[in-house]
PDB file of all heavy atoms in Angstrom:
ATOM      1  N   VAL U 927      12.646  -2.211  -6.235  1.00  0.00           N
ATOM      2  CA  VAL U 927      14.053  -1.809  -6.240  1.00  0.00           C
ATOM      3  C   VAL U 927      14.167  -0.339  -5.829  1.00  0.00           C
ATOM      4  O   VAL U 927      15.057   0.041  -5.073  1.00  0.00           O
ATOM      5  CB  VAL U 927      14.686  -2.040  -7.624  1.00  0.00           C
ATOM      6  CG1 VAL U 927      16.109  -1.521  -7.666  1.00  0.00           C
ATOM      7  CG2 VAL U 927      14.629  -3.513  -7.983  1.00  0.00           C
ATOM      8  N   SER U 928      13.252   0.478  -6.318  1.00  0.00           N
ATOM      9  CA  SER U 928      13.239   1.888  -5.940  1.00  0.00           C
ATOM     10  C   SER U 928      11.785   2.351  -5.856  1.00  0.00           C
ATOM     11  O   SER U 928      10.885   1.694  -6.369  1.00  0.00           O
ATOM     12  CB  SER U 928      14.005   2.733  -6.958  1.00  0.00           C
ATOM     13  OG  SER U 928      13.347   2.680  -8.202  1.00  0.00           O
ATOM     14  N   GLY U 929      11.578   3.463  -5.213  1.00  0.00           N
ATOM     15  CA  GLY U 929      10.223   3.964  -5.047  1.00  0.00           C
ATOM     16  C   GLY U 929       9.446   3.103  -4.081  1.00  0.00           C
ATOM     17  O   GLY U 929      10.016   2.488  -3.188  1.00  0.00           O
ATOM     18  N   ARG U 930       8.159   3.066  -4.258  1.00  0.00           N
ATOM     19  CA  ARG U 930       7.321   2.204  -3.430  1.00  0.00           C
ATOM     20  C   ARG U 930       6.130   1.760  -4.262  1.00  0.00           C
ATOM     21  O   ARG U 930       5.786   2.389  -5.250  1.00  0.00           O
ATOM     22  CB  ARG U 930       6.861   2.927  -2.172  1.00  0.00           C
ATOM     23  CG  ARG U 930       6.111   4.190  -2.433  1.00  0.00           C
ATOM     24  CD  ARG U 930       5.734   4.882  -1.134  1.00  0.00           C
ATOM     25  NE  ARG U 930       5.217   6.193  -1.442  1.00  0.00           N
ATOM     26  CZ  ARG U 930       5.821   7.325  -1.146  1.00  0.00           C
ATOM     27  NH1 ARG U 930       6.965   7.322  -0.514  1.00  0.00           N
ATOM     28  NH2 ARG U 930       5.286   8.470  -1.462  1.00  0.00           N
ATOM     29  N   ILE U 931       5.541   0.661  -3.844  1.00  0.00           N
ATOM     30  CA  ILE U 931       4.357   0.193  -4.555  1.00  0.00           C
ATOM     31  C   ILE U 931       3.171   0.240  -3.609  1.00  0.00           C
ATOM     32  O   ILE U 931       3.321   0.082  -2.398  1.00  0.00           O
ATOM     33  CB  ILE U 931       4.539  -1.227  -5.137  1.00  0.00           C
ATOM     34  CG1 ILE U 931       4.868  -2.235  -4.043  1.00  0.00           C
ATOM     35  CG2 ILE U 931       5.570  -1.251  -6.216  1.00  0.00           C
ATOM     36  CD1 ILE U 931       4.843  -3.676  -4.518  1.00  0.00           C
ATOM     37  N   GLU U 932       2.012   0.488  -4.183  1.00  0.00           N
ATOM     38  CA  GLU U 932       0.769   0.463  -3.418  1.00  0.00           C
ATOM     39  C   GLU U 932      -0.207  -0.438  -4.152  1.00  0.00           C
ATOM     40  O   GLU U 932      -0.420  -0.284  -5.356  1.00  0.00           O
ATOM     41  CB  GLU U 932       0.183   1.865  -3.259  1.00  0.00           C
ATOM     42  CG  GLU U 932       0.950   2.713  -2.294  1.00  0.00           C
ATOM     43  CD  GLU U 932       0.245   4.026  -1.952  1.00  0.00           C
ATOM     44  OE1 GLU U 932      -0.909   4.237  -2.388  1.00  0.00           O
ATOM     45  OE2 GLU U 932       0.861   4.837  -1.253  1.00  0.00           O
ATOM     46  N   ILE U 933      -0.775  -1.372  -3.420  1.00  0.00           N
ATOM     47  CA  ILE U 933      -1.766  -2.282  -3.974  1.00  0.00           C
ATOM     48  C   ILE U 933      -3.080  -1.995  -3.266  1.00  0.00           C
ATOM     49  O   ILE U 933      -3.206  -2.229  -2.055  1.00  0.00           O
ATOM     50  CB  ILE U 933      -1.356  -3.757  -3.768  1.00  0.00           C
ATOM     51  CG1 ILE U 933       0.018  -4.012  -4.384  1.00  0.00           C
ATOM     52  CG2 ILE U 933      -2.409  -4.686  -4.353  1.00  0.00           C
ATOM     53  CD1 ILE U 933       0.612  -5.358  -4.030  1.00  0.00           C
ATOM     54  N   ASN U 934      -4.048  -1.467  -4.016  1.00  0.00           N
ATOM     55  CA  ASN U 934      -5.339  -1.139  -3.426  1.00  0.00           C
ATOM     56  C   ASN U 934      -6.183  -2.389  -3.249  1.00  0.00           C
ATOM     57  O   ASN U 934      -6.138  -3.309  -4.061  1.00  0.00           O
ATOM     58  CB  ASN U 934      -6.086  -0.127  -4.289  1.00  0.00           C
ATOM     59  CG  ASN U 934      -5.476   1.242  -4.172  1.00  0.00           C
ATOM     60  OD1 ASN U 934      -4.385   1.482  -4.686  1.00  0.00           O
ATOM     61  ND2 ASN U 934      -6.142   2.132  -3.487  1.00  0.00           N
ATOM     62  N   ASP U 935      -6.981  -2.380  -2.210  1.00  0.00           N
ATOM     63  CA  ASP U 935      -7.870  -3.485  -1.881  1.00  0.00           C
ATOM     64  C   ASP U 935      -9.126  -3.402  -2.736  1.00  0.00           C
ATOM     65  O   ASP U 935      -9.573  -2.315  -3.090  1.00  0.00           O
ATOM     66  CB  ASP U 935      -8.230  -3.390  -0.393  1.00  0.00           C
ATOM     67  CG  ASP U 935      -8.934  -4.618   0.134  1.00  0.00           C
ATOM     68  OD1 ASP U 935      -8.850  -5.683  -0.497  1.00  0.00           O
ATOM     69  OD2 ASP U 935      -9.578  -4.510   1.196  1.00  0.00           O
ATOM     70  N   THR U 936      -9.712  -4.541  -3.070  1.00  0.00           N
ATOM     71  CA  THR U 936     -10.963  -4.532  -3.818  1.00  0.00           C
ATOM     72  C   THR U 936     -12.157  -4.406  -2.875  1.00  0.00           C
ATOM     73  O   THR U 936     -13.208  -3.932  -3.294  1.00  0.00           O
ATOM     74  CB  THR U 936     -11.123  -5.813  -4.659  1.00  0.00           C
ATOM     75  OG1 THR U 936     -10.995  -6.944  -3.806  1.00  0.00           O
ATOM     76  CG2 THR U 936     -10.097  -5.873  -5.761  1.00  0.00           C
ATOM     77  N   ILE U 937     -12.003  -4.797  -1.624  1.00  0.00           N
ATOM     78  CA  ILE U 937     -13.110  -4.717  -0.668  1.00  0.00           C
ATOM     79  C   ILE U 937     -13.298  -3.282  -0.186  1.00  0.00           C
ATOM     80  O   ILE U 937     -14.406  -2.763  -0.153  1.00  0.00           O
ATOM     81  CB  ILE U 937     -12.880  -5.689   0.510  1.00  0.00           C
ATOM     82  CG1 ILE U 937     -12.908  -7.130  -0.019  1.00  0.00           C
ATOM     83  CG2 ILE U 937     -13.923  -5.485   1.595  1.00  0.00           C
ATOM     84  CD1 ILE U 937     -12.561  -8.178   0.993  1.00  0.00           C
ATOM     85  N   ILE U 938     -12.202  -2.629   0.217  1.00  0.00           N
ATOM     86  CA  ILE U 938     -12.223  -1.210   0.590  1.00  0.00           C
ATOM     87  C   ILE U 938     -11.237  -0.522  -0.344  1.00  0.00           C
ATOM     88  O   ILE U 938     -10.035  -0.497  -0.076  1.00  0.00           O
ATOM     89  CB  ILE U 938     -11.835  -1.003   2.072  1.00  0.00           C
ATOM     90  CG1 ILE U 938     -12.795  -1.759   2.978  1.00  0.00           C
ATOM     91  CG2 ILE U 938     -11.812   0.485   2.407  1.00  0.00           C
ATOM     92  CD1 ILE U 938     -12.465  -1.677   4.451  1.00  0.00           C
ATOM     93  N   PRO U 939     -11.724   0.031  -1.456  1.00  0.00           N
ATOM     94  CA  PRO U 939     -10.830   0.581  -2.482  1.00  0.00           C
ATOM     95  C   PRO U 939      -9.885   1.680  -1.997  1.00  0.00           C
ATOM     96  O   PRO U 939      -8.826   1.869  -2.573  1.00  0.00           O
ATOM     97  CB  PRO U 939     -11.790   1.119  -3.543  1.00  0.00           C
ATOM     98  CG  PRO U 939     -13.062   0.382  -3.325  1.00  0.00           C
ATOM     99  CD  PRO U 939     -13.121   0.102  -1.859  1.00  0.00           C
ATOM    100  N   GLN U 940     -10.252   2.406  -0.948  1.00  0.00           N
ATOM    101  CA  GLN U 940      -9.383   3.479  -0.441  1.00  0.00           C
ATOM    102  C   GLN U 940      -8.215   2.918   0.363  1.00  0.00           C
ATOM    103  O   GLN U 940      -7.247   3.618   0.634  1.00  0.00           O
ATOM    104  CB  GLN U 940     -10.177   4.446   0.448  1.00  0.00           C
ATOM    105  CG  GLN U 940     -11.286   5.158  -0.281  1.00  0.00           C
ATOM    106  CD  GLN U 940     -12.625   4.429  -0.164  1.00  0.00           C
ATOM    107  OE1 GLN U 940     -12.688   3.226   0.007  1.00  0.00           O
ATOM    108  NE2 GLN U 940     -13.706   5.169  -0.304  1.00  0.00           N
ATOM    109  N   LEU U 941      -8.291   1.663   0.779  1.00  0.00           N
ATOM    110  CA  LEU U 941      -7.241   1.022   1.570  1.00  0.00           C
ATOM    111  C   LEU U 941      -6.207   0.409   0.640  1.00  0.00           C
ATOM    112  O   LEU U 941      -6.552  -0.219  -0.359  1.00  0.00           O
ATOM    113  CB  LEU U 941      -7.837  -0.065   2.468  1.00  0.00           C
ATOM    114  CG  LEU U 941      -6.872  -0.840   3.358  1.00  0.00           C
ATOM    115  CD1 LEU U 941      -6.264   0.071   4.423  1.00  0.00           C
ATOM    116  CD2 LEU U 941      -7.577  -2.012   4.017  1.00  0.00           C
ATOM    117  N   ALA U 942      -4.934   0.599   0.982  1.00  0.00           N
ATOM    118  CA  ALA U 942      -3.864   0.035   0.148  1.00  0.00           C
ATOM    119  C   ALA U 942      -2.753  -0.519   1.024  1.00  0.00           C
ATOM    120  O   ALA U 942      -2.537  -0.052   2.149  1.00  0.00           O
ATOM    121  CB  ALA U 942      -3.298   1.099  -0.779  1.00  0.00           C
ATOM    122  N   LEU U 943      -2.066  -1.506   0.495  1.00  0.00           N
ATOM    123  CA  LEU U 943      -0.834  -2.018   1.095  1.00  0.00           C
ATOM    124  C   LEU U 943       0.300  -1.248   0.437  1.00  0.00           C
ATOM    125  O   LEU U 943       0.407  -1.225  -0.787  1.00  0.00           O
ATOM    126  CB  LEU U 943      -0.671  -3.511   0.832  1.00  0.00           C
ATOM    127  CG  LEU U 943       0.692  -4.102   1.190  1.00  0.00           C
ATOM    128  CD1 LEU U 943       0.896  -4.101   2.690  1.00  0.00           C
ATOM    129  CD2 LEU U 943       0.826  -5.504   0.619  1.00  0.00           C
ATOM    130  N   ARG U 944       1.131  -0.618   1.252  1.00  0.00           N
ATOM    131  CA  ARG U 944       2.287   0.125   0.730  1.00  0.00           C
ATOM    132  C   ARG U 944       3.545  -0.650   1.115  1.00  0.00           C
ATOM    133  O   ARG U 944       3.737  -1.007   2.278  1.00  0.00           O
ATOM    134  CB  ARG U 944       2.336   1.522   1.331  1.00  0.00           C
ATOM    135  CG  ARG U 944       3.593   2.282   0.920  1.00  0.00           C
ATOM    136  CD  ARG U 944       3.638   3.628   1.565  1.00  0.00           C
ATOM    137  NE  ARG U 944       2.835   4.528   0.749  1.00  0.00           N
ATOM    138  CZ  ARG U 944       2.777   5.825   0.944  1.00  0.00           C
ATOM    139  NH1 ARG U 944       3.421   6.382   1.928  1.00  0.00           N
ATOM    140  NH2 ARG U 944       2.053   6.573   0.152  1.00  0.00           N
ATOM    141  N   VAL U 945       4.401  -0.914   0.130  1.00  0.00           N
ATOM    142  CA  VAL U 945       5.663  -1.625   0.360  1.00  0.00           C
ATOM    143  C   VAL U 945       6.794  -0.731  -0.150  1.00  0.00           C
ATOM    144  O   VAL U 945       6.760  -0.247  -1.280  1.00  0.00           O
ATOM    145  CB  VAL U 945       5.689  -2.984  -0.373  1.00  0.00           C
ATOM    146  CG1 VAL U 945       6.977  -3.737  -0.061  1.00  0.00           C
ATOM    147  CG2 VAL U 945       4.474  -3.829   0.004  1.00  0.00           C
ATOM    148  N   THR U 946       7.807  -0.525   0.702  1.00  0.00           N
ATOM    149  CA  THR U 946       8.944   0.324   0.349  1.00  0.00           C
ATOM    150  C   THR U 946      10.149  -0.545  -0.019  1.00  0.00           C
ATOM    151  O   THR U 946      10.153  -1.748   0.253  1.00  0.00           O
ATOM    152  CB  THR U 946       9.327   1.249   1.512  1.00  0.00           C
ATOM    153  OG1 THR U 946       9.813   0.446   2.599  1.00  0.00           O
ATOM    154  CG2 THR U 946       8.145   2.076   1.974  1.00  0.00           C
ATOM    155  N   PRO U 947      11.184   0.040  -0.600  1.00  0.00           N
ATOM    156  CA  PRO U 947      12.381  -0.732  -0.976  1.00  0.00           C
ATOM    157  C   PRO U 947      13.063  -1.418   0.214  1.00  0.00           C
ATOM    158  O   PRO U 947      13.737  -2.427   0.035  1.00  0.00           O
ATOM    159  CB  PRO U 947      13.306   0.308  -1.599  1.00  0.00           C
ATOM    160  CG  PRO U 947      12.426   1.393  -2.050  1.00  0.00           C
ATOM    161  CD  PRO U 947      11.277   1.420  -1.088  1.00  0.00           C
ATOM    162  N   THR U 948      12.889  -0.872   1.413  1.00  0.00           N
ATOM    163  CA  THR U 948      13.508  -1.485   2.589  1.00  0.00           C
ATOM    164  C   THR U 948      12.719  -2.681   3.103  1.00  0.00           C
ATOM    165  O   THR U 948      13.152  -3.370   4.011  1.00  0.00           O
ATOM    166  CB  THR U 948      13.643  -0.461   3.733  1.00  0.00           C
ATOM    167  OG1 THR U 948      12.338  -0.021   4.115  1.00  0.00           O
ATOM    168  CG2 THR U 948      14.505   0.708   3.328  1.00  0.00           C
ATOM    169  N   GLY U 949      11.536  -2.908   2.517  1.00  0.00           N
ATOM    170  CA  GLY U 949      10.698  -4.027   2.944  1.00  0.00           C
ATOM    171  C   GLY U 949       9.630  -3.632   3.946  1.00  0.00           C
ATOM    172  O   GLY U 949       8.845  -4.474   4.376  1.00  0.00           O
ATOM    173  N   ALA U 950       9.592  -2.359   4.333  1.00  0.00           N
ATOM    174  CA  ALA U 950       8.552  -1.896   5.257  1.00  0.00           C
ATOM    175  C   ALA U 950       7.197  -2.015   4.577  1.00  0.00           C
ATOM    176  O   ALA U 950       7.052  -1.716   3.389  1.00  0.00           O
ATOM    177  CB  ALA U 950       8.818  -0.455   5.674  1.00  0.00           C
ATOM    178  N   ARG U 951       6.215  -2.481   5.335  1.00  0.00           N
ATOM    179  CA  ARG U 951       4.871  -2.673   4.803  1.00  0.00           C
ATOM    180  C   ARG U 951       3.890  -1.976   5.731  1.00  0.00           C
ATOM    181  O   ARG U 951       3.946  -2.155   6.939  1.00  0.00           O
ATOM    182  CB  ARG U 951       4.514  -4.158   4.755  1.00  0.00           C
ATOM    183  CG  ARG U 951       5.414  -4.951   3.877  1.00  0.00           C
ATOM    184  CD  ARG U 951       5.308  -6.453   4.172  1.00  0.00           C
ATOM    185  NE  ARG U 951       6.404  -7.162   3.541  1.00  0.00           N
ATOM    186  CZ  ARG U 951       6.437  -7.498   2.264  1.00  0.00           C
ATOM    187  NH1 ARG U 951       5.426  -7.200   1.489  1.00  0.00           N
ATOM    188  NH2 ARG U 951       7.468  -8.114   1.757  1.00  0.00           N
ATOM    189  N   SER U 952       3.004  -1.207   5.136  1.00  0.00           N
ATOM    190  CA  SER U 952       2.001  -0.535   5.949  1.00  0.00           C
ATOM    191  C   SER U 952       0.692  -0.461   5.185  1.00  0.00           C
ATOM    192  O   SER U 952       0.657  -0.563   3.959  1.00  0.00           O
ATOM    193  CB  SER U 952       2.471   0.866   6.344  1.00  0.00           C
ATOM    194  OG  SER U 952       2.768   1.627   5.202  1.00  0.00           O
ATOM    195  N   TYR U 953      -0.376  -0.309   5.958  1.00  0.00           N
ATOM    196  CA  TYR U 953      -1.690  -0.106   5.373  1.00  0.00           C
ATOM    197  C   TYR U 953      -1.948   1.397   5.376  1.00  0.00           C
ATOM    198  O   TYR U 953      -1.789   2.056   6.400  1.00  0.00           O
ATOM    199  CB  TYR U 953      -2.770  -0.811   6.188  1.00  0.00           C
ATOM    200  CG  TYR U 953      -2.631  -2.312   6.201  1.00  0.00           C
ATOM    201  CD1 TYR U 953      -2.289  -2.987   7.363  1.00  0.00           C
ATOM    202  CD2 TYR U 953      -2.857  -3.064   5.045  1.00  0.00           C
ATOM    203  CE1 TYR U 953      -2.173  -4.372   7.378  1.00  0.00           C
ATOM    204  CE2 TYR U 953      -2.738  -4.448   5.055  1.00  0.00           C
ATOM    205  CZ  TYR U 953      -2.401  -5.091   6.226  1.00  0.00           C
ATOM    206  OH  TYR U 953      -2.279  -6.456   6.235  1.00  0.00           O
ATOM    207  N   VAL U 954      -2.312   1.935   4.224  1.00  0.00           N
ATOM    208  CA  VAL U 954      -2.595   3.361   4.113  1.00  0.00           C
ATOM    209  C   VAL U 954      -3.991   3.545   3.527  1.00  0.00           C
ATOM    210  O   VAL U 954      -4.506   2.686   2.809  1.00  0.00           O
ATOM    211  CB  VAL U 954      -1.553   4.104   3.251  1.00  0.00           C
ATOM    212  CG1 VAL U 954      -0.192   4.083   3.903  1.00  0.00           C
ATOM    213  CG2 VAL U 954      -1.477   3.535   1.855  1.00  0.00           C
ATOM    214  N   LEU U 955      -4.565   4.675   3.859  1.00  0.00           N
ATOM    215  CA  LEU U 955      -5.903   5.004   3.408  1.00  0.00           C
ATOM    216  C   LEU U 955      -5.835   6.337   2.681  1.00  0.00           C
ATOM    217  O   LEU U 955      -5.249   7.287   3.192  1.00  0.00           O
ATOM    218  CB  LEU U 955      -6.811   5.106   4.637  1.00  0.00           C
ATOM    219  CG  LEU U 955      -8.295   5.279   4.415  1.00  0.00           C
ATOM    220  CD1 LEU U 955      -8.888   4.001   3.846  1.00  0.00           C
ATOM    221  CD2 LEU U 955      -8.969   5.601   5.736  1.00  0.00           C
ATOM    222  N   ARG U 956      -6.381   6.393   1.493  1.00  0.00           N
ATOM    223  CA  ARG U 956      -6.448   7.649   0.726  1.00  0.00           C
ATOM    224  C   ARG U 956      -7.918   7.984   0.506  1.00  0.00           C
ATOM    225  O   ARG U 956      -8.677   7.160   0.005  1.00  0.00           O
ATOM    226  CB  ARG U 956      -5.761   7.504  -0.622  1.00  0.00           C
ATOM    227  CG  ARG U 956      -4.275   7.443  -0.533  1.00  0.00           C
ATOM    228  CD  ARG U 956      -3.686   7.461  -1.939  1.00  0.00           C
ATOM    229  NE  ARG U 956      -2.260   7.303  -1.887  1.00  0.00           N
ATOM    230  CZ  ARG U 956      -1.403   8.307  -1.765  1.00  0.00           C
ATOM    231  NH1 ARG U 956      -1.851   9.532  -1.677  1.00  0.00           N
ATOM    232  NH2 ARG U 956      -0.107   8.085  -1.724  1.00  0.00           N
TER     233      ARG U 956
END
């Protein structure tokens, strides 16, 4: 609803799926 969520991968822990309130989805690396 607000903010964004990040779900980290178990295979590559630094990789995450980022989902924003607008529905945009991207892969990010930290």
